[in-house]
């Protein structure tokens, strides 16, 4: 009974705080002060927001498992794991940056004149990322591939990790991929800041009908459309990141041998790598 009473008190205090904040916001006390009060659909302001983002990540990465299941010949599991890990790290980094960019565009100086909320800007930024970012990634990875071939830097040949697969090659390629990803994101962010008023109109026109239903808008912006676009993005990028030799029919049997070879297990690979570094 005592515990129940304490919980009830906490809930009452939380409701009182929420009502107080809403009263202050509705009173217009912040108008003209330069303080931009949170409004509309938000991205990280509640546990529901975080939960929705977790679902997005889970759904997006199932695409990689589906692609591995359908591809022929199938990559050895360790090689596929290296390729998928690049997308996992880069995808999480880009998602965090996208949230930060959406927050900035929504709440930076001059936000009082804008109509879009965080979800509107996130969606617009996400769409730009998919179409412009993926194209730029394709071109830059192609340049890296030409550079690796010309100067015989085998460690930078995308998706080629040696036999057995080397963690050193994986981390080198991951570093290059992350550098390209962050560089592209920085250029896009600078462009979006310049085009902010136009992006505001774009986002508002698309989603203003959902303004009265912020949670429904979040689900649509963070789950429905991004799941389709993310799946396409992951599918394309995975095709770019995996090694060319997997598509060579003559090398199908060696790849399968690597998959079944106990020398190519994750533990053995990292043990050998560690031993060679010590030596």
């Amino acid at each position: 009974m005592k515990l129940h009473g304490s919980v009830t008190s906490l809930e009452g205090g939380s409701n009182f705080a929420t009502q107080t904040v809403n009263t202050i916001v509705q009173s217009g006390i912040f108008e003209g002060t330069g303080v931009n009060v949170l409004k509309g659909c938000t991205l990280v302001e509640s546990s529901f927001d975080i939960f929705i983002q977790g679902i997005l990540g889970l759904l997006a990465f199932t695409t990689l498992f589906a692609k591995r299941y359908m591809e022929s010949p199938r990559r050895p599991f360790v090689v596929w794991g290296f390729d998928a890990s690049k997308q996992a790290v880069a995808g999480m980094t880009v998602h965090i940056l996208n949230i930060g960019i959406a927050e900035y565009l929504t709440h930076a100086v001059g936000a009082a004149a804008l109509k879009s909320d965080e979800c509107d800007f996130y969606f617009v930024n996400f769409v730009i990322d998919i179409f412009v970012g993926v194209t730029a990634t394709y071109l830059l990875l192609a340049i890296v591939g030409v550079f690796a071939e010309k100067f015989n830097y085998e460690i930078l040949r995308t998706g080629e990790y040696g036999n057995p697969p080397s963690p050193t090659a994986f981390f080198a390629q991951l570093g290059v991929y992350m550098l390209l990803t962050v560089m592209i994101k920085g250029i896009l962010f600078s462009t979006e800041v310049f085009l902010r008023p136009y992006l505001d109109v774009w986002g508002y026109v698309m989603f203003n009908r959902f303004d009265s239903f912020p949670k429904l808008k979040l689900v649509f912006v963070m789950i429905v459309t991004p799941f389709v676009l993310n799946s396409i993005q992951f599918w394309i990028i995975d095709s770019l990141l995996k090694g060319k030799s997997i598509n060579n029919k003559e090398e199908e049997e060696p790849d399968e041998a690597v998959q079944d070879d106990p020398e190519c297990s994750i533990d053995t690979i990292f043990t050998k790598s560690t031993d060679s570094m010590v030596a």
Side-chain angles (χ1 to χ4, degrees), residues 119-275:
C119 294
D120 297 334
F121 276 118
Y122 177 87
F123 180 83
V124 170
N125 180 47
F126 180 82
V127 171
I128 294 174
D129 226 18
I130 292 293
F131 291 98
V132 180
V134 170
T135 302
T137 299
Y138 173 82
L139 296 175
L140 291 177
L141 283 177
I143 294 174
V144 171
V146 172
F147 177 84
E149 291 292 337
K150 182 176 181 179
F151 296 97
N152 199 29
Y153 285 121
E154 296 184 2
I155 198 172
L156 294 182
R157 290 176 179 170
T158 301
E160 304 290 339
Y161 307 106
N163 189 4
S166 168
T168 303
F170 162 71
F171 285 114
Q173 294 177 29
L174 174 63
V176 171
Y177 183 54
M178 287 299 299
L179 178 63
L180 298 180
T181 299
V182 174
M183 182 176 67
I184 293 170
K185 198 65 210 168
I187 295 173
L188 290 179
F189 171 60
S190 301
T191 305
E192 289 166 7
V193 170
F194 178 74
L195 298 176
R196 185 184 181 197
Y198 304 99
L199 301 182
D200 173 52
V201 174
W202 179 7
Y204 179 75
V205 169
M206 289 192 66
F207 296 108
N208 68 87
R209 295 177 180 84
F210 291 93
D211 285 348
S212 300
F213 311 96
K215 292 190 184 303
L216 179 61
K217 180 196 278 192
L218 178 64
V219 171
F220 185 84
V221 168
M222 193 70 71
I223 294 292
V224 180
T225 306
F227 171 62
V228 176
L229 296 179
N230 253 333
S231 298
I232 297 174
Q233 178 192 26
F234 277 28
W235 195 287
I236 294 174
I237 295 297
D238 184 63
S239 299
L240 298 176
L241 292 177
K242 74 177 185 179
K244 296 179 180 179
S245 62
I246 195 65
N247 295 320
N248 190 331
K249 189 68 176 179
E250 295 180 358
E251 299 193 21
E252 180 176 352
E253 291 184 3
D255 285 335
E256 291 177 352
V258 169
Q259 182 177 7
D260 298 330
D261 190 348
E263 291 295 318
C264 295
S265 66
I266 295 178
D267 292 338
T268 303
I269 292 171
F270 276 92
T271 300
K272 286 187 174 182
S273 177
T274 305
D275 293 341

Side-chain angles (χ1 to χ4, degrees), residues 60-117:
F61 286 114
T62 56
T63 305
L64 296 177
F65 287 94
K67 188 174 187 296
R68 169 174 166 77
Y69 178 78
M70 289 185 287
E71 69 182 7
S72 179
R74 193 175 299 173
R75 281 167 286 179
F77 185 78
V78 174
V79 173
W80 174 83
F82 282 166
D83 290 342
S85 296
K86 293 178 191 175
Q87 291 220 63
V89 175
M92 184 176 299
T93 302
V94 169
H95 180 67
I96 294 173
L97 291 176
N98 283 343
I99 291 176
I101 291 172
E103 295 270 356
Y104 176 84
L105 294 175
T106 307
H107 305 296
V109 176
L114 302 178
K115 295 181 178 180
S116 292
D117 55 29

